[in-house]
């Protein structure tokens, strides 16, 4: 929320789009939260710079290490650790643009990352799915990626896509390409991939995005693809991911780095310390991109959590997650770059009490601090198992938070003095014209059980059933605007060429 | 006199203090205590105490890990003397651990290693990004009874299968149990690649490893 905005409403929705309401995003919030003071943010920043300069961060990539050396970092090639002066990091980060657009195949669905919008995406990178037809759990495949993209395309709360599941029926080296093709075939919304891990695949992804955008300049102006990479906590990067991000950044694709540093295992037990570890990972990655391609669109990404005290397992929820959701946004604001925040992602095994609690609080904390991108709807068991009912329930949580973020509007009209006087003591507001005029401002849930007790007793169904029904309905009825067959063929050709190249290239 | 030293040994484990464990291990050697006796009457008592507290819900994973690290420090001091006198500490079996080729995620695998060695296994941790040939070489070299393969990425998970294929090709499969782990690993995946066991966390990994070597 506190990001400096570009002057003169540099990005304005055309009037028609506001009316058509294609994508529901949070904007002009009335609520805010004070999670860290300015002084506390500075302390975290300072501790991060000390960590980067004296402890260092591992970059297991020859290319990245060579680049860092050229930019004056202290590089230990054996340990693959770079140590960088505070000044270098700060100057590099200053070059990052504070705002830009995530382009969509349909320009009306572009997502402006301007500090005044929160867009929800599907969550991503899962490996299993509860089948939409028989509700049985199974491994994920490419068709699932396509199906989820189609349903997300027809769901107004979803602003853009993460590739929801891993297409495990496709070869690992080109899987990420089939996945983005499947999403473009089934949706006009922006695609952010989190599963492209090497240069060759990134190169092909850039080619594909260029085809979809209609040329490399068009791609720079409205990038239809963005790339998110994970860091390797604590204090490390994945070499292939860094190299892939550099390829994407060169083409003008927004690139982001997500830390998942977790209390107790990959980060200190304390929240502030874990923020420092994650911050050092993200800042060094963003700084490298800015040093190599100054002004390239980048974003901060985080899904920090705590490990379970008893087992060390990834938790995917709990009060620590909720606090990180808001705190990380303060950090991203401090560095003046957009944030992609991991919210939702409950550890629950079923869309139940735990799922509702975790996903509501994590979504609220990330939204109230105005995370630009909100990840993500649809998963159970800590982002591992896709559930269509959970996706729909998450969308409703987003809608509820959306409503809450509008806050309470106070003016002559909303104070309703006329209606109050007209109804008077013991009167009925249902008969007031003022009520008719404003009733649609009252939130109408899809999945809350407000029926009489006996109806519930007789039917025995609940939110999970209704959410599944809604997903099935969208799946059966929604027809996404298809990708031009010529373009689609071209995408297929690029993937095939990449696969041939990989096979003939010498193994490194 | 010796009992007091045994108490200190046990306490160094409970405190999770590797330095103190090493010092008291040296003191035991200086006092002429048999190193095996130091382990069974001293340090192992501490491990058992932490283990029991953990089972009761009074101790947490970091305490378990630090107890394991302290045990390692004590054994490192006692080992040369054991070797010299030809006595060997009985272990539950030898485990080779590695994160598969193409994957650099280390923490989960290392945590499993610490838990397994605290439980009494002898662990050979090959680190990350380890090619199948290197894993097979180590299994042969130490005559391992278990190999643990870690992978965090859906794209590197397939390497777990490659290691199993290699084991079969080299006629090693029958002599070694295969455990796999990592966030994307599921029971179905374990069945599909014909591995022997998996766990979603390090505590569960110990239970599985014990089952695989026939100890319940």
């Amino acid at each position: 929320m506190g990001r400096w905005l570009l002057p003169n409403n540099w990005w304005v929705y055309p009037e028609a789009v506001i009316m058509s309401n294609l994508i529901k995003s949070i904007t002009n919030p009335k609520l805010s939260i004070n999670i860290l003071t300015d002084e506390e943010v500075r302390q975290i920043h300072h501790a991060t710079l000390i960590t980067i300069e004296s402890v260092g961060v591992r970059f297991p990539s020859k290319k990245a290490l060579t680049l860092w050396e050229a930019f004056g970092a202290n590089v230990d090639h054996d340990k693959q650790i770079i140590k960088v002066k505070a000044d270098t990091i700060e100057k590099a980060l200053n070059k990052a643009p504070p705002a830009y657009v995530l382009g969509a195949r349909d320009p009306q669905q572009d997502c402006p990352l301007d500090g005044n919008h929160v867009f929800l995406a599907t969550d991503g990178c899962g490996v299993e799915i509860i089948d939409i037809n028989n509700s049985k759990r199974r491994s994920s495949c490419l068709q699932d990626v396509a199906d989820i993209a189609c349903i997300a395309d027809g769901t107004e709360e979803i602003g853009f896509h993460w590739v929801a599941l891993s297409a495990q029926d496709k070869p690992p080296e080109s899987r990420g390409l089939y996945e983005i093709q499947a999403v473009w075939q089934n949706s006009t919304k922006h695609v952010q991939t989190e599963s492209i891990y090497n240069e060759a695949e990134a190169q092909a992804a850039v080619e594909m995005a260029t085809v979809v955008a209609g040329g490399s300049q068009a791609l720079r102006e409205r990038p239809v693809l963005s790339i998110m990479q994970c860091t390797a906590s604590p204090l490390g990067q994945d070499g292939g991911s860094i190299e892939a991000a550099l390829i994407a950044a060169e083409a003008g694709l927004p690139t982001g780095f997500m830390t998942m540093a977790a209390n107790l295992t990959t980060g200190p037990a304390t929240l502030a310390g874990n923020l420092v570890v994650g911050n050092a990972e993200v800042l060094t990655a963003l700084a490298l991109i800015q040093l190599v391609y100054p002004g390239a669109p980048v974003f901060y990404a985080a899904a920090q959590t705590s490990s379970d005290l008893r087992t060390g397992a990834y938790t995917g929820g709990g009060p620590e997650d909720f606090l990180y959701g808001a705190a990380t946004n303060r950090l991203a604001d401090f560095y003046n770059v957009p944030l992609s925040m991991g919210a939702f992602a409950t550890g629950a095994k079923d869309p139940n009490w735990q799922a509702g609690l975790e996903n509501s609080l994590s979504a609220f904390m990330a939204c109230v601090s105005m995370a630009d991108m909100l990840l993500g709807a649809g998963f159970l068991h800590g982002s591992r198992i896709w559930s269509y009912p959970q996706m729909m329930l998450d969308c409703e949580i987003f809608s509820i938070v959306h409503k809450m973020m509008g806050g309470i509007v106070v003016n002559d009209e909303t104070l309703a003095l006329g209606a109050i006087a007209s109804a008077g003591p013991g009167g009925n507001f249902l008969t007031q014209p003022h009520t008719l005029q404003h009733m649609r401002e009252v939130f109408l849930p899809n999945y809350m059980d407000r029926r009489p007790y006996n109806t519930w007793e007789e039917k025995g169904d609940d939110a999970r059933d209704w959410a599944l029904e809604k997903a099935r309905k969208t799946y059966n009825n929604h027809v996404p605007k298809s990708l031009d067959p010529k373009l689609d063929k071209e995408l297929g050709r690029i993937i095939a060429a990449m696969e041939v190249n990989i096979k003939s290239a010498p193994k490194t | 006199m010796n009992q007091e030293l045994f108490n200190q040994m046990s306490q160094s484990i409970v405190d999770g203090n590797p330095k103190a464990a090493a010092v008291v291990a040296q003191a035991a050697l200086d006092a002429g205590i048999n190193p095996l006796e130091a382990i069974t009457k001293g340090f192992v008592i501490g491990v058992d105490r932490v283990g029991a507290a953990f089972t009761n819900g009074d101790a947490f994973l970091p305490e378990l890990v630090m107890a394991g690290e302290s045990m390692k420090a004590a054994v490192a001091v006692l080992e040369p003397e054991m070797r010299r006198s030809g006595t060997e500490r009985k272990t539950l079996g030898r485990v080779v651990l590695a994160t598969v080729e193409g994957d650099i995620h280390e923490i989960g695998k290392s945590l499993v290693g610490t838990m397994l060695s605290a439980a009494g296994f002898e662990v050979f941790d090959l680190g990350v990004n380890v090619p199948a040939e290197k894993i097979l070489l180590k299994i042969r070299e130490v005559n391992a009874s278990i190999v643990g393969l870690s992978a965090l990425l859906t794209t590197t998970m397939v390497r777990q299968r490659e290691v199993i294929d290699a084991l079969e090709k080299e006629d090693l499969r029958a002599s070694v149990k295969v455990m796999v782990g990592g966030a994307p690993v599921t029971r179905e995946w374990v069945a599909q690649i014909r591995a022997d066991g998996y766990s979603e966390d390090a505590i569960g990994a110990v239970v599985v490893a014990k089952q695989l070597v026939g100890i319940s």
Side-chain angles (χ1 to χ4, degrees), chain A residues 111-124:
Chain A
C111 300
L113 307 182
D114 56 6
N116 190 27
H117 286 86
V118 181
F119 293 101
L120 173 65
T122 50
D123 204 348

Side-chain angles (χ1 to χ4, degrees), chain A residues 60 125 127-128 137 166 168 172 175 197 232-234 237-238 264-266 308-313 381 384 507, chain B residues 54 57-62 101 104-105 107 111 153-155 157-159 183-184 186-188 192 200-203:
Chain A
C125 237
V127 288
E128 292 188 296
R137 182 173 59 89
S166 183
Q168 294 175 81
R175 189 179 289 171
Y197 309 123
S233 306
Q237 312 288 352
D238 180 79
L264 304 178
T265 52
T266 52
D308 182 76
L309 251 183
R310 293 192 202 285
T311 63
H381 192 33
R384 276 174 275 203
K507 209 182 162 194
Chain B
F54 182 82
D58 298 330
F60 299 114
L61 181 69
E101 190 172 6
I104 55 149
H105 295 90
I107 305 284
L111 184 55
L153 307 175
T154 51
T155 50
M157 191 170 76
V158 293
R159 304 266 183 204
T186 60
R187 193 163 53 196
E188 288 72 16
Q192 200 185 326
E200 288 192 12
D201 60 59
I203 303 299

Side-chain angles (χ1 to χ4, degrees), chain B residues 185-196:
Chain B
V185 172
T186 60
R187 193 163 53 196
E188 288 72 16
W189 173 247
V190 172
Q192 200 185 326
I193 65 172
R194 301 177 309 278
D196 299 302

Side-chain angles (χ1 to χ4, degrees), chain A residues 177-397:
Chain A
L177 303 177
Y178 287 99
E179 292 167 354
I180 55 176
Q181 182 188 25
V183 181
W184 276 322
Q185 284 167 340
N186 288 280
S187 176
T188 46
K189 295 176 183 176
H190 177 85
V191 185
Q192 187 165 98
T193 171
E194 8 45 90
S195 50
I196 283 186
Y197 309 123
N198 63 60
E199 276 187 320
E201 208 175 12
Q203 199 79 59
V206 165
E207 271 183 65
M208 291 168 74
T210 308
V211 167
V212 173
S216 42
Q217 192 50 39
L219 182 64
R220 271 178 199 284
E221 281 159 17
R222 292 186 38 254
V224 290
L225 180 70
S226 54
I227 291 208
M228 216 261 345
Q229 301 291 3
C230 276
T231 64
S233 306
L235 302 177
Q237 312 288 352
D238 180 79
S241 297
I242 288 283
E243 289 166 9
L246 284 165
I247 297 282
E250 184 180 15
L253 299 189
T255 51
F257 293 87
M258 173 175 275
T259 175
M260 292 178 69
N263 296 118
L264 304 178
T265 52
T266 52
T270 47
L271 274 80
N274 201 32
L275 284 172
V276 169
V277 166
N279 205 29
E281 295 160 9
V282 176
L283 291 197
T284 47
L286 297 186
L288 181 64
I289 300 284
Q290 291 307 319
L291 286 167
V292 182
Y293 302 110
V298 291
F299 56 92
Y300 198 120
Q304 281 169 283
T305 185
S306 175
S307 307
D308 182 76
L309 251 183
R310 293 192 202 285
T311 63
Y314 176 79
T315 53
E320 294 83 11
D321 287 42
F322 313 150
L323 290 167
Y324 288 135
T328 312
N329 200 64
R330 273 290 269 139
L331 295 180
D333 283 350
F334 180 76
Y335 300 113
N336 214 20
V337 292
L339 172 71
S340 185
M341 189 66 215
F344 299 95
T346 179
K349 315 297 184 266
D350 187 57
N352 55 17
W353 173 85
Q354 184 187 344
L357 171 77
E358 290 183 331
N359 290 2
S360 297
L361 285 173
S362 65
F364 176 75
M365 291 295 273
C367 288
V368 78
S369 58
M370 292 299 280
D372 304 75
M373 294 165 272
L374 188 65
L375 284 315
F379 271 123
L380 294 171
H381 192 33
S383 298
R384 276 174 275 203
I385 305 174
W386 179 267
S387 155
Y388 286 103
Q390 189 62 49
M391 173 194 181
M392 292 302 163
L393 296 169
D394 287 343
C395 285
E396 176 133 312
I397 289 172

Side-chain angles (χ1 to χ4, degrees), chain A residues 366-485:
Chain A
C367 288
V368 78
S369 58
M370 292 299 280
D372 304 75
M373 294 165 272
L374 188 65
L375 284 315
F379 271 123
L380 294 171
H381 192 33
S383 298
R384 276 174 275 203
I385 305 174
W386 179 267
S387 155
Y388 286 103
Q390 189 62 49
M391 173 194 181
M392 292 302 163
L393 296 169
D394 287 343
C395 285
E396 176 133 312
I397 289 172
F398 181 72
S399 281
I400 292 168
V401 175
H402 176 271
K403 168 71 188 169
M404 289 167 67
M405 291 295 290
I408 298 170
V409 179
V410 181
N411 56 37
D412 286 351
E413 176 65 15
T414 60
L415 286 169
L417 275 180
I420 293 168
S422 172
N428 187 350
F429 284 94
L430 281 172
T431 59
Q432 299 302 318
H434 183 271
T435 304
L436 264 185
Q437 215 166 359
H438 292 279
M439 66 178 186
R440 287 181 199 280
E441 293 161 24
V442 174
F443 186 80
L444 188 63
N446 290 312
Y447 308 118
M448 287 179 180
D449 197 341
R450 292 172 167 179
R451 299 172 297 179
Y453 193 89
N454 287 346
T455 311
W456 170 76
E457 229 172 9
E458 283 155 24
K459 301 230 174 186
D461 57 357
D462 65 21
R464 289 171 287 197
D465 304 295
W466 310 328
L468 176 59
E469 197 181 315
K470 167 77 171 148
R472 284 178 176 163
K473 214 166 131 190
T474 309
Y475 180 63
N476 291 327
N477 299 332
H478 179 68
V479 183
K481 197 177 147 217
S482 63
L483 191 57
D484 178 343

Side-chain angles (χ1 to χ4, degrees), chain B residues 68 71-72 89 112-123 206:
Chain B
M71 185 69 184
K72 242 193 253 172
R89 186 179 165 224
V112 169
T114 305
M115 289 295 99
L116 288 177
S117 49
F121 286 91
E122 192 175 356
V123 175
V206 174

